[in-house]
Amino acid sequence: MRLLQSPQSAILCTLITLVLILSCNGADASDKVALQLAWKHQFQFAGYYAALHQGYYRRVGLDVSIVEGGVGKFAKEEVLGGRAQYGVAGAELLLHRKQGAPFVILAPIFQHSPSILLVRKDSGISNIQGLIDKKVMLLPGYKDADILVAFLNEGISSDQYLRLDQSYNIEDLIKQRTDAVSAYVTNEPWQMLQKGVAPLVISPMAYGVDFYSDCLFTSENEIKHHPERVQKFLHASLDGWEYAMDHPQEIIDLLSRQYKVSKTKAHLEYEAREIRKIMMPDLIEIGHMNPGRWQHIKQTYEKLGLIDADFSLDGFLYHPQQKLDYQPLKQIFFGAIGFIALFAVGSGILFLFNRKLAAEVKERKQAQKEIAMQKQRAEQYLQVATVMFVSLDVDGKVNMVNEKACAILQCSKEDIIGQNWFDMFVTKSAQHDAKNAFKNMITGHTSGPEYYENKIIISNGEIKYIAWQTTPVRDAHGKLVGVLCCGDDLSEKRKLQEQLIQSQKMESIGSLAGGIAHEFNNILTIILGNNEMNMRELSESSPARRRARRIEDAGIRGRDVVKQLLTFSRQDSPALQRTDIKSTVQGAMKLIQSSAPANILIKQNISENIFPVFGNGTQINQVIINLCGNAIDAMSEKGGVLTVTLRNEIVEDRFAGPHPSLSPGKYAKLIVEDNGIGMDEKTRERVFEPYYTTKPLGKGTGIGLAVVHGIIKRHKGFIDVHSQLNRGTTFTLFFPAYNAIRPEQKFVINRV
């Protein structure tokens, strides 16, 4: 091989060698920097571990130490004290900036805050309004600022709930020592699920508060003196986060192996899934920062009086172009100018081509970003909607569901997505019609929105009525790819309608029964009166007197039936007064105990200090004897247990809401329970109708429970029945306490 001999060749080789030497020197030089984490090692900081162990920091000449945080060691103090050059913290960095700390945000890693309010799913609390007058455990001061402003946005002041100091112990919520606790969506819900307690998440985002979180930050001093290092650290960290999101299992293994994280693999996988949801790497570029969002965060702090309206964000948000030192680049450029000159013409052509290509790429990225933002906004609207949204593919499988649907179905998104909607949630009786309607839309026989109602079955087996509006979904080429279903829960409305219809029916029957009773009473009076006169004229030994006695007995039984009818129709109105219901129940149970068959065991659970009620002791006694008699009849063949319970009850709004005839307040609660033959649904729906009976001919009139219903209505109380075939029946009665209801006052107007 011949060596290059010309002066030009020698110069060219020298320049190339110089460039390589400068480049190598730059690569070998390693700046030592420290990154202070916000808390202990966990998947929350996955991107920084990836950047370190994949060599991203090393490739840009950085020797990075990742320092674990914890109690007494936080990123704010470490960066401010110069012990760390970079740190991870939340949106509260804005408050520190306002207080004079020279912090600069490089990139928000989490596009949404993981901060949430957590309640027990079985607590009956489903939204932030449900926390009024409840105990809420929060971080000290304004560390839970997004949650505090969510309360304010809903018009709930701090004196409308009892604030407790954060104990960092989820057992306080599990053991119900508090009603709600501030938590991280990535952590505490998992802990509750492992304890067998279903969590329910209340997100501040649903109430107009949307913070960035886990922000990578540095100091003004670092940017001023090491601008190039700041850029290198930022880009290497974001590359690490991109790697971590693509290889979560690898990072989980790294955390367990090298960082000795105590969490289980399943817990770390859960944390990784939840972090992906709030980072949204598939829709938004990792580390994307919108100044408008920071203005929103500043305005949120303004509501709490923590920051002034005229406070400026200037200098708080990082701009890569600020005060960068290009001197090393200039040295390399001038050192290589001779080499570049040899290829000037080709480079010029290549430059023009690349410029055109870059413009096209930029335009395409902008379009993709707009589409992603539109998709994000649409998903946010769906999540805060007050109706349920379910999206199905052409096979009927769920591919999208919003928070309202999860709340109604009482399932998590993970349990719903991927399941066949019709097989999992639609009742068997409604499946045929629902599948046909879906098939017609998928095959194009129905082109526009469709409206229908059907019954669905939720996770706990409860049936709900849903009114649906469905519309076909097509892709960019017009191909039909699924169906979007918008559903409104009509269950409570249906229940109220059924109760209203039943009440109206009972009122109508009562009016009819009252009229018949009066007419029948007049007839009985004539029969009994004339029969009594005939009996006076007949001797004791006369056969006619014995027949007259049977007429008298039948007339008396008829008069008792008339009395029951009048009680049912509320036309027989004995006086109501302050009544000791405890004594009434105990007296009735003595009579029932003495006459009950030997194969019936009677249990009494009667509490002390029962509220006195505003009622009639005789009618309450009649109610108890009637219900207990029916219970004994239901267990007469096989025997069983009759349990009578009496206790005080305070009815709240959330229980009284579905029952229009039951007002909030104090009640004496009577429960009559048996384990007899029970009733089917059809019988249970008609059990209070007069003359409806399942007993054999001659063993029942069918008027007893109708009379019970009438007595309870007159006492302004409430009665409910639950029953299953071969599993028994339970009647629950509420009698208003005496201090809750008073006799109506009558006012006399004197006319002059």
Side-chain angles (χ1 to χ4, degrees):
M1 180 177 178
R2 294 181 61 192
L3 295 175
L4 295 172
Q5 299 295 329
S6 66
Q8 293 86 353
S9 299
I11 293 172
L12 180 59
C13 290
T14 302
L15 290 173
I16 293 173
T17 303
L18 179 61
V19 171
L20 293 174
I21 290 172
L22 289 172
S23 301
C24 291
N25 287 340
D28 290 338
S30 294
D31 284 343
K32 291 187 177 182
V33 295
L35 169 66
Q36 177 63 56
L37 302 181
W39 196 245
K40 298 183 182 299
H41 291 306
Q42 52 192 333
F43 197 90
Q44 181 180 350
F45 312 110
Y48 309 113
Y49 308 127
L52 180 63
H53 293 276
Q54 292 302 312
Y56 296 156
Y57 290 136
R58 187 175 62 254
R59 291 173 195 170
V60 294
L62 298 178
D63 182 6
V64 177
S65 300
I66 299 178
V67 184
E68 184 179 45
V71 177
K73 191 169 187 178
F74 300 105
K76 170 198 169 188
E77 289 79 5
E78 296 302 301
V79 174
L80 200 59
R83 293 178 291 277
Q85 289 72 38
Y86 303 93
V88 179
E92 69 274 6
L93 286 165
L94 182 59
L95 295 179
H96 301 322
R97 175 80 182 193
K98 188 259 180 185
Q99 293 164 0
F103 294 146
V104 180
I105 299 291
L106 299 178
I109 301 303
F110 294 172
Q111 292 295 317
H112 301 294
S113 173
S115 178
I116 57 168
L117 276 170
L118 201 58
V119 300
R120 289 177 58 113
K121 195 170 187 177
D122 58 6
S123 67
I125 301 170
S126 60
N127 51 46
I128 203 166
Q129 290 85 359
L131 294 175
I132 294 175
D133 296 331
K134 303 294 184 183
K135 292 178 286 187
V136 183
M137 187 172 283
L138 299 173
L139 291 170
Y142 293 95
K143 291 184 181 295
D144 280 325
D146 47 353
I147 294 174
L148 296 175
V149 174
F151 276 112
L152 292 182
N153 286 350
E154 291 301 299
I156 302 173
S157 60
S158 59
D159 59 354
Q160 290 182 273
Y161 57 92
L162 178 60
R163 179 170 176 172
L164 305 178
D165 288 337
Q166 179 63 268
S167 67
Y168 303 98
N169 184 2
I170 197 63
E171 286 293 327
D172 286 329
L173 179 60
I174 293 174
K175 301 297 185 184
Q176 297 179 312
R177 293 189 285 266
T178 183
D179 298 296
V181 63
S182 66
Y184 260 31
V185 73
T186 59
N187 192 45
E188 281 77 9
W190 166 265
Q191 295 177 358
M192 290 186 66
L193 289 170
Q194 300 316 296
K195 298 282 187 179
V197 179
L200 188 141
V201 170
I202 300 175
S203 173
M205 193 166 63
Y207 301 95
V209 185
D210 193 6
F211 277 17
Y212 284 129
S213 186
D214 273 43
C215 302
L216 179 61
F217 74 99
T218 187
S219 65
E220 290 181 348
N221 183 65
E222 177 74 4
I223 292 175
K224 179 180 179 181
H225 294 96
H226 305 283
E228 185 179 359
R229 185 166 75 184
V230 172
Q231 284 201 44
K232 290 178 180 179
F233 184 84
L234 173 59
H235 293 317
S237 298
L238 295 181
D239 289 343
W241 271 109
E242 187 172 344
Y243 185 90
M245 289 295 97
D246 292 338
H247 304 85
Q249 287 299 329
E250 185 177 329
I251 304 302
I252 289 171
D253 293 340
L254 176 67
L255 286 168
S256 301
R257 182 179 66 254
Q258 184 145 342
Y259 291 91
K260 309 302 181 186
V261 175
S262 60
K263 293 180 179 179
T264 64
K265 184 177 180 181
H267 191 171
L268 289 170
E269 289 173 347
Y270 172 86
E271 187 179 6
R273 289 194 301 271
E274 293 301 317
I275 285 176
R276 190 175 190 91
K277 292 177 185 177
I278 58 179
M279 280 186 64
M280 308 174 70
D282 300 322
L283 300 176
I284 298 176
E285 183 181 1
I286 295 175
H288 171 74
M289 181 161 57
N290 183 352
R293 281 278 298 282
W294 282 107
Q295 286 289 346
H296 161 76
I297 295 170
K298 191 191 84 166
Q299 291 166 2
T300 301
Y301 284 129
E302 285 179 34
K303 291 183 179 180
L304 293 173
L306 299 178
I307 204 165
D308 299 329
D310 58 355
F311 177 75
S312 175
L313 296 177
D314 291 344
F316 180 61
L317 307 182
Y318 175 62
H319 298 289
Q321 69 273 18
Q322 59 188 25
K323 296 182 182 179
L324 295 182
D325 184 6
Y326 292 103
Q327 190 61 33
L329 295 177
K330 289 179 180 179
Q331 293 175 353
I332 296 174
F333 173 75
F334 287 117
I337 192 65
F339 177 75
I340 296 173
L342 296 175
F343 300 96
V345 176
S347 298
I349 296 172
L350 184 62
F351 172 76
L352 293 175
F353 174 77
N354 285 341
R355 186 176 180 180
K356 181 179 179 182
L357 180 62
E360 292 178 355
V361 171
K362 183 178 180 181
E363 184 179 349
R364 188 179 300 113
K365 283 188 175 181
Q366 185 63 31
Q368 291 174 346
K369 187 178 292 186
E370 287 294 330
I371 292 172
M373 291 181 66
Q374 291 176 8
K375 182 178 179 182
Q376 180 190 3
R377 284 196 293 269
E379 289 186 350
Q380 288 176 345
Y381 294 150
L382 290 179
Q383 295 308 325
V384 300
T386 57
V387 293
M388 63 189 296
F389 279 94
V390 180
S391 177
L392 309 179
D393 63 16
V394 293
D395 297 321
K397 291 183 178 179
V398 181
N399 53 34
M400 189 280 293
V401 65
N402 71 340
E403 295 292 344
K404 183 65 175 180
C406 293
I408 290 175
L409 298 172
Q410 297 187 12
C411 292
S412 66
K413 289 184 180 180
E414 290 76 12
D415 294 334
I416 300 173
I417 292 177
Q419 300 293 330
N420 186 284
W421 172 260
F422 303 99
D423 295 339
M424 187 171 183
F425 294 107
V426 181
T427 61
K428 290 184 178 180
S429 61
Q431 277 191 12
H432 181 266
D433 291 340
K435 286 183 176 179
N436 279 345
F438 177 76
K439 183 178 179 181
N440 288 337
M441 187 161 286
I442 289 297
T443 55
H445 290 90
T446 304
S447 58
E450 284 288 305
Y451 305 90
Y452 64 92
E453 295 181 16
N454 69 4
K455 291 189 291 185
I456 64 172
I457 183 168
I458 64 176
S459 61
N460 63 1
E462 182 183 351
I463 302 297
K464 287 187 175 290
Y465 292 88
I466 307 295
W468 295 103
Q469 177 178 345
T470 61
T471 187
V473 178
R474 301 181 184 274
D475 61 15
H477 304 289
K479 181 182 177 182
L480 203 151
V481 294
V483 173
L484 180 63
C485 310
C486 171
D488 190 13
D489 186 1
L490 303 181
S491 305
E492 294 298 332
K493 189 183 294 184
R494 280 287 186 92
K495 187 182 296 184
L496 292 175
Q497 288 176 343
E498 291 172 359
Q499 291 177 355
L500 179 60
I501 291 171
Q502 178 70 11
S503 176
Q504 291 173 340
K505 182 165 63 175
M506 296 298 287
E507 291 289 345
S508 299
I509 295 174
S511 299
L512 177 63
I516 294 173
H518 279 298
E519 294 297 327
F520 189 40
N521 199 38
N522 293 335
I523 295 171
L524 284 175
T525 300
I526 296 172
I527 293 173
L528 288 172
N530 284 280
N531 186 66
E532 184 179 354
M533 288 187 290
N534 288 337
M535 289 177 64
R536 291 174 183 173
E537 298 175 359
L538 297 172
S539 64
E540 289 292 338
S541 60
S542 170
R545 187 176 179 86
R546 290 194 297 273
R547 289 192 292 270
R549 178 69 67 184
R550 287 197 292 272
I551 292 172
E552 183 182 30
D553 292 341
I556 291 172
R557 287 198 300 273
R559 188 172 59 194
D560 291 339
V561 171
V562 169
K563 186 176 181 180
Q564 286 185 319
L565 281 172
L566 290 172
T567 301
F568 166 70
S569 64
R570 292 184 289 181
Q571 297 185 31
D572 178 19
S573 302
L576 302 181
Q577 59 188 2
R578 190 180 191 277
T579 301
D580 183 0
I581 191 172
K582 179 180 178 181
S583 299
T584 303
V585 172
Q586 289 174 331
M589 292 310 298
K590 288 180 181 178
L591 177 62
I592 292 165
Q593 187 86 50
S594 63
S595 60
N599 63 345
I600 303 295
L601 174 64
I602 297 178
K603 294 183 177 180
Q604 299 183 48
N605 299 321
I606 299 178
S607 302
E608 297 294 331
N609 302 319
I610 298 297
F611 296 141
V613 302
F614 184 62
N616 180 274
T618 301
Q619 289 195 342
I620 294 174
N621 184 76
Q622 184 179 356
V623 166
I624 299 166
I625 291 175
N626 195 307
L627 293 178
C628 292
N630 284 347
I632 291 171
D633 288 345
M635 300 183 291
S636 58
E637 292 187 8
K638 298 181 180 180
V641 179
L642 169 62
T643 305
V644 176
T645 302
L646 181 66
R647 63 171 181 259
N648 293 330
E649 187 86 3
I650 298 177
V651 175
E652 298 180 351
D653 290 331
R654 61 188 177 88
F655 180 78
H659 308 288
S661 59
L662 184 63
S663 301
K666 295 181 179 180
Y667 290 83
K669 184 177 181 179
L670 176 67
I671 304 172
V672 179
E673 182 179 8
D674 68 71
N675 57 355
I677 59 175
M679 297 179 281
D680 58 24
E681 185 176 356
K682 182 179 178 181
T683 302
R684 185 182 58 77
E685 289 176 353
R686 300 187 60 189
V687 71
F688 294 119
E689 293 183 12
Y691 302 113
Y692 178 79
T693 181
T694 57
K695 295 180 180 179
L697 186 65
K699 286 196 174 183
T701 64
I703 193 67
L705 287 178
V707 170
V708 168
H709 185 273
I711 291 173
I712 299 302
K713 291 279 284 184
R714 187 174 185 281
H715 281 69
K716 300 186 184 300
F718 175 75
I719 184 170
D720 191 24
V721 57
H722 289 278
S723 185
Q724 285 183 285
L725 280 175
N726 302 317
R727 296 187 66 177
T729 301
T730 300
F731 284 90
T732 304
L733 297 83
F734 290 80
F735 292 91
Y738 180 74
N739 61 357
I741 292 183
R742 292 285 190 274
E744 294 182 1
Q745 296 180 349
K746 296 182 179 179
F747 296 92
V748 178
I749 301 176
N750 295 321
R751 301 187 182 275
V752 179

